[in-house]
Amino acid sequence: MRIFVLTGAGISADSGLGTFRDAGGIWDKFDPMKLATPAAFAADPERVHEFYNLRRRDMLAARPNAAHVALGRLGEGLKVDGGALFLCTQNIDDLHERAGSRAVHHMHGRLSRALCSSCRATREWRADLGVTDRCAACGRVGTLRPDVVWFGEMPYGMPEIEEALARSDLFVAIGTSGAVYPAAEFVEIARMMGILTLEFNLGKSANAHLFDESVYGPAIESVPRFVARLLGTGGEGL
Ligand code: BJW
């Protein structure tokens, strides 16, 4: 079986990283238009750096949870049977990798990397980032930014995503509100292709009506149960 999994902030919630649109979430406390757009970075780079530096520190202190670990196991388990997992995350954290998942597709980029807004070079960056840092590729100072996808920017690897979706037998969304495009459209594309669609969320997402089946509850409980069932190591039911 070939499975396409799309994860969102909800999968990392029980690792202590905030979601965006839940009550008390990141966009409740901060205005995304002042922090997560290219114009915001041009207007006030110090403020944007401060926001992402705090989140990078939180990410480094966080630990993968049982849902991340289960997806790591799913990737390995599917391979044994000649299947494959395409793990596409909107999250900029590295918890999937730290839980053992390989080749994670970060469509909204990675907080552990810096991108030069001048020459577009990227490099690993786990320390705080600031306006006095120099790009090692072009030598310019003040052009480095977190390698994350802001509103109005093109998410990474859309052709690979579309190709992987087309080859899938099952589409699974975990912990995402279905509020941000193009990720919110994947379920519709999957449906049009006749692919079975399944969502795991605490409650109804914005596009819950498009899923063949929805499972409500914390991902740390529902995802390990689902993976165990798929790999034949668990009990009955989702
Ligand atoms: C749990 C749980 C638990 C909690 N267990 N579950 C069409 C219509 C309207 C607008 C647009 C459109 N197309 C494009 C746009 C514009 C825009 C957009 O979508 N705007 C909307 C807000 C309306 N999109 C863009 O600009 C994108 N670029 C683009 O479209 O380029 C052109 C293009 C065209 C065609 C093809 C391809 C491209 C870029 C979007 C970039 C988003 N960036 C951010 C910030 C990244 C950096 C950072 O982290 O700071 O990405 S915004 C933020 O939202 C972040 C997330 O990845 C993203 C999605 O959020 P997510 O993960 O769904 O989190 P939440 O908080 O929304 O939901 C959490 C869910 O978990 C909830 O449902 C909870 O119930 C659940 N949950 N605890 C299980 N324990």
Side-chain angles (χ1 to χ4, degrees):
M1 184 188 280
R2 303 183 80 87
I3 306 183
F4 187 114
V5 171
L6 171 70
T7 64
I11 197 168
S12 297
D14 276 311
S15 291
L17 301 183
T19 60
F20 295 92
R21 294 169 188 82
D22 294 314
I26 296 171
W27 296 153
D28 246 9
K29 297 183 213 134
F30 304 97
D31 178 355
M33 292 305 121
K34 292 197 172 126
L35 293 164
T37 69
F41 184 65
D44 195 346
E46 279 100 345
R47 182 184 188 163
V48 174
H49 279 309
E50 188 187 357
F51 173 67
Y52 283 100
N53 286 341
L54 282 174
R55 289 182 57 204
R56 191 183 297 100
R57 286 183 223 154
D58 285 347
M59 172 188 92
L60 293 172
R63 295 282 169 267
N65 65 48
H68 298 108
V69 171
L71 291 181
R73 236 183 3 250
L74 180 62
E76 293 307 305
L78 287 174
K79 257 194 261 167
V80 172
D81 291 335
L85 172 68
F86 187 86
L87 179 53
C88 176
T89 187
Q90 297 167 85
N91 299 343
I92 61 175
D93 67 55
D94 62 355
L95 297 181
H96 283 305
E97 285 87 348
R98 284 199 267 147
S101 286
R102 289 169 217 280
V104 183
H105 190 99
H106 282 270
M107 66 178 291
H108 290 167
R110 284 178 285 177
L111 195 45
S112 59
R113 296 190 73 80
L115 162 72
C116 176
S117 44
S118 177
C119 74
R120 310 304 293 176
T122 68
R123 61 178 297 209
E124 181 85 1
W125 200 288
R126 290 181 171 266
D128 282 0
L129 189 55
V131 292
T132 56
D133 286 307
R134 181 185 296 277
C135 171
C138 70
R140 288 205 173 86
V141 173
T143 55
L144 291 178
R145 52 166 276 189
D147 186 12
V148 301
V149 177
W150 287 324
F151 288 108
E153 296 185 315
M154 182 66 86
Y156 283 116
M158 288 307 296
E160 289 90 332
I161 289 175
E162 281 156 22
E163 208 177 290
L165 253 182
R167 283 199 314 262
S168 301
D169 306 301
L170 175 64
F171 172 79
V172 183
I174 303 172
T176 178
S177 59
V180 175
Y181 291 83
E185 274 172 350
F186 295 172
V187 60
E188 288 180 65
I189 298 170
R191 272 177 83 87
M192 281 190 301
M193 290 172 169
I195 298 164
L196 192 70
T197 59
L198 177 57
E199 98 166 317
F200 293 92
N201 201 305
L202 266 191
K204 280 193 172 181
S205 64
N207 48 19
H209 59 287
L210 295 170
F211 288 89
D212 293 307
E213 201 164 334
S214 297
V215 179
Y216 298 122
I220 49 166
E221 292 172 12
S222 57
V223 175
R225 201 162 57 224
F226 164 68
V227 169
R229 177 152 179 253
L230 263 183
L231 298 180
T233 55
E236 291 296 301
L238 291 176

